[in-house]
Amino acid sequence: DAEITQSPRHKITETGRQVTLACHQTWNHNNMFWYRQDLGHGLRLIHYSYGVQDTNKGEVSDGYSVSRSNTEDLPLTLESAASSQTSVYFCASSNRDNEQFFGPGTRLTVL
Amino acid sequence: QQPVQSPQAVILREGEDAVINCSSSKALYSVHWYRQKHGEAPVFLMILLKGGEQKGHDKISASFNEKKQQSSLYLTASQLSYSGTYFCGTVDNYGGSQGNLIFGKGTKLSVKP
């Protein structure tokens, strides 16, 4: 069955370290997204991609970057982790009807 | 602008009905509804496109009033499995059919036996 996976599921890191969160989907969707979810804010868009080599900034992109070298993967990198980036991160991909399918999430703690 | 959901939280007994509202300050192309159970990922429920259509499956349905820039999610004869946080996501007219979603802050629904 097609699916979307994220790794790691939990990560603890220190302030200033570079962290990369992986996202992999097997639906062959062109559109992929990264969100962060914080209490009281709902889901906020960090970056998105509409296809290979395409990346775009979302609402809360400062301190994050993405790259899209193939259809299946959209890794999210925190260049220099900050405590404000402690959050739950969800990756999603969408089909032609713009239905979004979310990965299981990564809980990131920055100490 | 982030859509506004109301109420923020609601507690029901099994079998009771609930309505969750989603309101935007922008002209909308579509409204999307998702449910998220505690500790899990959001799960897609339905999309409503401009044109005022009403959709539903099982005992969960929704409407979209394009002129009022509002959508409502209706849960009838609620079941324990309906518990979770419901999010609406909106796509404005500029975004069109593949526009990005802007999510509301969510409505927490608790169904008690």
Side-chain angles (χ1 to χ4, degrees), chain A residues 4-28:
Chain A
I4 181 166
T5 57
Q6 293 183 233
S7 63
R9 295 294 311 279
H10 301 270
K11 174 79 176 176
I12 300 174
T13 191
E14 295 176 343
T15 301
R17 289 192 182 266
Q18 184 181 78
V19 176
T20 297
L21 308 182
C23 175
H24 180 80
Q25 54 98 2
T26 58
W27 279 299
N28 205 36

Side-chain angles (χ1 to χ4, degrees), chain A residues 31-105:
Chain A
N31 298 353
M32 295 183 72
F33 310 85
W34 273 103
Y35 295 91
R36 61 177 289 175
Q37 186 173 37
D38 305 287
L39 220 60
H41 289 280
L43 291 152
R44 292 183 292 174
L45 184 64
I46 305 171
H47 280 286
Y48 60 98
S49 169
Y50 287 154
V52 176
Q53 302 300 332
D54 176 73
T55 61
N56 305 280
K57 293 181 179 180
E59 176 193 355
V60 290
S61 62
D62 285 351
Y64 304 95
S65 64
V66 293
S67 60
R68 188 90 180 270
S69 58
N70 58 52
T71 302
E72 297 80 16
D73 299 291
L74 187 70
L76 177 73
T77 298
L78 287 70
E79 303 294 343
S80 178
S83 57
S84 60
Q85 294 177 308
T86 292
S87 186
V88 179
Y89 291 86
F90 286 102
C91 177
S93 67
S94 67
N95 59 18
R96 292 181 184 216
D97 294 324
N98 209 10
E99 300 170 0
Q100 293 200 10
F101 300 90
F102 286 81

Side-chain angles (χ1 to χ4, degrees), chain B residues 13-56:
Chain B
R13 293 284 180 192
E14 263 187 303
E16 291 182 339
D17 301 340
V19 180
I20 299 171
N21 299 303
C22 175
S23 178
S24 175
S25 59
K26 289 191 167 188
L28 298 176
Y29 178 84
S30 62
V31 180
H32 305 225
W33 286 97
Y34 290 79
R35 176 171 63 204
Q36 183 178 30
K37 294 186 179 287
H38 183 68
E40 298 181 7
V43 174
F44 171 78
L45 292 177
M46 65 187 78
I47 293 176
L48 298 104
L49 302 176
K50 67 178 181 179
E53 68 176 287
Q54 187 153 356
K55 279 197 170 183

Side-chain angles (χ1 to χ4, degrees), chain B residues 57-107:
Chain B
H57 57 86
D58 198 12
K59 292 175 183 169
I60 300 176
S61 62
S63 63
F64 176 24
N65 188 318
E66 182 186 343
K67 286 183 181 177
K68 290 187 177 179
Q69 296 161 192
Q70 292 176 348
S71 176
S72 295
L73 187 72
Y74 307 95
L75 300 101
T76 58
S78 58
Q79 306 166 16
L80 294 176
S81 61
Y82 286 3
S83 292
T85 300
Y86 289 79
F87 292 96
C88 70
T90 57
V91 179
D92 62 31
N93 273 340
Y94 180 78
S97 63
Q98 292 297 309
N100 292 329
L101 289 170
I102 301 176
F103 286 94
K105 292 184 179 181
T107 295

